[in-house]
Amino acid sequence: MRVAIVVSRFNDFVTERLLEGARAALRDAGVADTDVEVLRVPGAFEIPIAAQRIAELGRVQAVICLGCLIRGGTPHFEYIASAAAHGITAAAAATGVPMAFGVLTTNSVEEAIERAGAGPENKGREAAAAALEMAALLTGLGDGPRA
Ligand code: INI
């Protein structure tokens, strides 16, 4: 099983912790570090294009998308959150490669940090588990029509 992680640098004090959580979940599931490709992008807005491109290259069975949006006083938050969610959904549909949504959208820094802790509540860890489950599900369905 080869997996890609697309992680945004914006709010990296949170996203690097999400990345650690995702890596831990993959190791726990027996995925070797050498089978994990990490792509860093500037912000959550750029996640979908990187996720789609790595999926199109055909060398990974799942993509884990990690980012962090913290609500401010501007509509920017809503636009980027919506673009990331829709873009990741569209990239998965276009490529057939499952993509997990590990993009935090929180009201405060405190909430973001809570969701990126070292334990099982880490949302990067959850996203990685979802990605592996979906990759196994889709692999189990096979390529051809039902007999
Ligand atoms: N990107 C994030 O990942 N999180 C944010 O909270 C954020 N805010 O607040 O602006 C953010 N902005 C950058 C955006 O994702 C793009 O990188 C930028 O607009 C360039 O396309």
Side-chain angles (χ1 to χ4, degrees):
M1 168 83 70
R2 282 188 60 82
V3 172
I5 304 176
V6 180
V7 56
S8 67
R9 285 195 304 273
F10 206 103
N11 291 327
D12 65 354
F13 66 101
V14 174
T15 61
E16 287 300 315
R17 293 185 192 195
L18 296 175
L19 178 59
E20 278 318 303
R23 281 187 178 286
L26 294 175
R27 277 187 212 114
D28 289 353
V31 179
D33 285 353
T34 47
D35 287 330
V36 180
E37 220 171 317
V38 177
L39 282 73
R40 285 189 167 76
V41 297
F45 190 77
E46 285 75 29
I47 291 174
I49 191 167
Q52 178 153 351
R53 189 72 189 115
I54 189 70
E56 283 169 351
L57 293 175
R59 57 178 185 246
V60 297
Q61 281 77 59
V63 181
I64 301 159
C65 301
L66 304 176
C68 176
L69 287 136
I70 300 171
R71 192 184 295 275
T74 73
H76 208 197
F77 172 97
E78 313 288 349
Y79 292 135
I80 297 170
S82 172
H86 287 111
I88 292 166
T89 306
T95 59
V97 174
M99 298 189 185
F101 188 73
V103 180
L104 297 183
T105 54
T106 67
N107 289 313
S108 66
V109 170
E110 291 71 25
E111 271 181 28
I113 288 172
E114 258 173 43
R115 289 161 174 72
E121 75 291 347
N122 182 296
K123 297 296 174 190
R125 181 180 270 279
E126 282 184 18
L132 291 179
E133 182 179 338
M134 289 305 297
L137 177 76
L138 298 188
T139 300
L141 290 177
D143 295 328
R146 210 143 50 117

